Amino acid sequence: DKGNYKHFMAKEIHEQPEVVARTLAHYIDFANNCVRLPFELPFDPKALTGITLTACGTAYYAGLVGKYWFERFARLRVEIDVASEFRYREAPMPENGLMLVVSQSGETADTLASLRYAKTQGQKIIGVVNVSTSTIARESDVAAPTLAGPEIGVASTKAFTCQLTVLASLAIALGRARGVLSADEEKRLVNELMVVPGLLAESMKLEPKIEQLSHRLGKTTDVLYLGRGPSYPLALEGALKLKEISYIHAEGYAAGELKHGPIALIDEQLPVIVIAPSDPVLEKTVSNLQEVSARGGKIILLGDAHSIAAAATPLAGEIVMPAMAPDFSAIVYAAPIQMLAYHTAVFMGKDVDQPRNLAKSVTVE
Ligand code: F6R
């Protein structure tokens, strides 16, 4: 049931404040401002040597964001790859290693094959899954549920932000259990997570503005997305979302890679979406943005009032997000990225819920 929405995708985008809050409530002890995992860790966290993370598509991008958190909060090395590559690499895996697989459906063939390979290599498996009865949930040592509810739209939206929520909670929990994150730090991070649903709700109010910008995107053939730090995987996700439902060619790049090639694409026609929350790498992103601007690129800036002021260059468009702490801004910034793709595809008259050639669950390789 689509409720009052034209598409499942729109409904699922708008459900995010609620389902992220529900997922958080499953992992966070709100009374004591700390993470409380709904399961026992299947290994000794102090002996853990590293994490291998595999997934496909949007779930893989969630993993890429998660990598920043596991490194920073838990001081763990994270090896990450798409499951279709990982499963055939015969990668050596460390002793006392954790394999994290991320999957909405829990049935993706390549992700499942990667899980099975990791098992033969003695890894402990945590499956971050949305469908609790799925094969991946059953074959994992521990299933870490995302409580997004059924996702019907082929393009993943609410499952993504719920995956991020679980990965963030897990990173904090591992940091604490390994003795590398102080109780004060945990409290600060948990407080930041607790405001995410409200920030997501606020960002929904930007929809009319995003819809207006989408009419311009709907008339182009190529779009470039740039981001740094956790905004880099968001750039990849933005490009994927746009291409899968609007069929516009889009690419996501790490902002710092611009001068190593893609800058050659910049001309007066190319829309460049720069994802730039106020975070420790903002200054660097701004200098990349100015390089685009100097070459006549049409910049649409997704940032807050501070980053837009810092850009100090003419913009073709801006999406002004609420101010927030930097650590989990990727969860909130996912929403405008999704809305931009959605409205572009709707404007172009595409079938948003059932894009051509795509299946919701990829159970064959
Ligand atoms: C993109 C999308 C796909 C899935 C991918 C993995 O919008 O939906 O890229 O994310 O097929 O699927 P799951 O998460 O079910 O393993």
Side-chain angles (χ1 to χ4, degrees):
D1 179 20
K2 285 185 269 208
N4 294 326
Y5 295 97
K6 263 176 42 194
H7 301 98
F8 282 108
M9 185 179 175
K11 173 171 177 261
E12 289 163 2
I13 289 173
H14 283 270
E15 277 173 357
Q16 291 178 111
E18 192 192 320
V19 296
V20 167
R22 192 201 303 159
T23 301
L24 269 180
H26 204 62
Y27 288 83
I28 302 283
D29 173 352
F30 292 126
N32 297 298
N33 302 73
C34 63
V35 174
R36 205 184 37 214
L37 296 178
F39 47 77
E40 297 272 315
L41 289 172
F43 49 80
D44 169 9
K46 290 217 160 85
L48 190 63
T49 51
I51 298 176
T52 308
L53 208 157
T54 59
C56 301
T58 290
Y60 168 67
Y61 297 145
L64 277 183
V65 176
K67 175 181 165 109
Y68 291 86
W69 296 330
F70 287 111
E71 287 179 349
R72 182 159 303 173
F73 307 144
R75 305 306 299 156
L76 280 163
R77 290 167 58 91
V78 180
E79 159 86 21
I80 173 163
D81 204 351
V82 290
S84 55
E85 285 299 317
F86 182 80
R87 65 178 292 188
Y88 294 116
R89 272 172 38 209
E90 298 178 30
M93 302 192 80
E95 227 165 276
N96 298 319
L98 166 63
M99 172 70 155
L100 260 179
V101 296
V102 183
S103 176
Q104 187 284 127
S105 64
E107 303 294 346
T108 301
D110 287 324
T111 310
L112 180 59
S114 298
L115 177 163
R116 288 176 176 161
Y117 172 76
K119 261 194 184 173
T120 68
Q121 302 299 302
Q123 306 296 292
K124 291 295 181 202
I125 320 277
I126 297 184
V128 177
V129 284
N130 197 43
V131 180
S132 59
T133 52
S134 62
T135 313
I136 290 177
R138 273 185 280 115
E139 294 197 15
S140 299
D141 291 304
V142 159
T146 51
L147 304 181
E151 192 180 61
I152 311 291
V154 165
S156 186
T157 53
K158 62 175 181 170
F160 178 67
T161 43
C162 287
Q163 285 159 354
L164 293 178
T165 301
V166 170
L167 293 173
S169 303
L170 194 54
I172 297 169
L174 286 177
R176 283 295 289 147
R178 288 165 51 73
V180 296
L181 191 75
S182 71
D184 280 356
E185 272 290 279
E186 175 182 33
K187 197 168 185 173
R188 180 182 72 77
L189 293 170
V190 165
N191 285 337
E192 287 184 17
L193 274 178
M194 278 162 55
V195 297
V196 162
L199 289 164
L200 276 168
E202 257 186 82
S203 66
M204 297 298 161
K205 297 186 193 143
L206 299 172
E207 192 159 18
K209 169 78 187 184
I210 292 172
E211 183 174 359
Q212 185 197 325
L213 287 171
S214 73
H215 296 183
R216 261 189 270 167
L217 282 194
K219 289 175 198 135
T220 56
T221 51
D222 303 271
V223 179
L224 189 60
Y225 287 76
L226 298 176
R228 229 178 230 270
S231 298
Y232 162 45
L234 271 192
L236 299 173
E237 170 63 4
L240 175 65
K241 215 93 296 176
L242 187 71
K243 65 190 139 190
E244 70 181 328
I245 58 171
S246 77
Y247 319 138
I248 293 175
H249 168 234
E251 285 194 67
Y253 260 98
E257 278 288 293
L258 192 64
K259 55 169 73 70
H260 301 289
I263 199 163
L265 292 171
I266 309 289
D267 62 14
E268 265 105 64
Q269 314 317 323
L270 186 74
V272 182
I273 298 171
V274 182
I275 305 164
S278 287
D279 64 13
V281 292
L282 172 64
E283 215 180 298
K284 301 291 170 191
T285 307
V286 162
S287 73
N288 301 130
L289 177 153
Q290 289 168 343
E291 289 158 7
V292 173
S293 183
R295 286 157 185 85
K298 294 279 170 288
I299 298 166
I300 296 174
L301 185 54
L302 172 58
D304 55 19
H306 170 72
S307 41
I308 287 165
T313 190
L315 299 169
E318 50 190 57
I319 301 169
V320 193
M321 294 288 284
M324 65 194 79
D327 299 284
F328 304 110
S329 60
I331 310 178
V332 186
Y333 275 60
I337 287 287
Q338 297 161 352
M339 289 193 280
L340 196 59
Y342 171 76
H343 284 290
T344 304
V346 169
F347 174 72
M348 296 171 76
K350 306 299 182 200
D351 184 349
V352 209
D353 282 335
Q354 288 289 333
R356 68 184 183 204
N357 309 338
L358 290 174
K360 179 68 186 160
S361 177
V362 186
T363 52
V364 291
E365 61 173 305

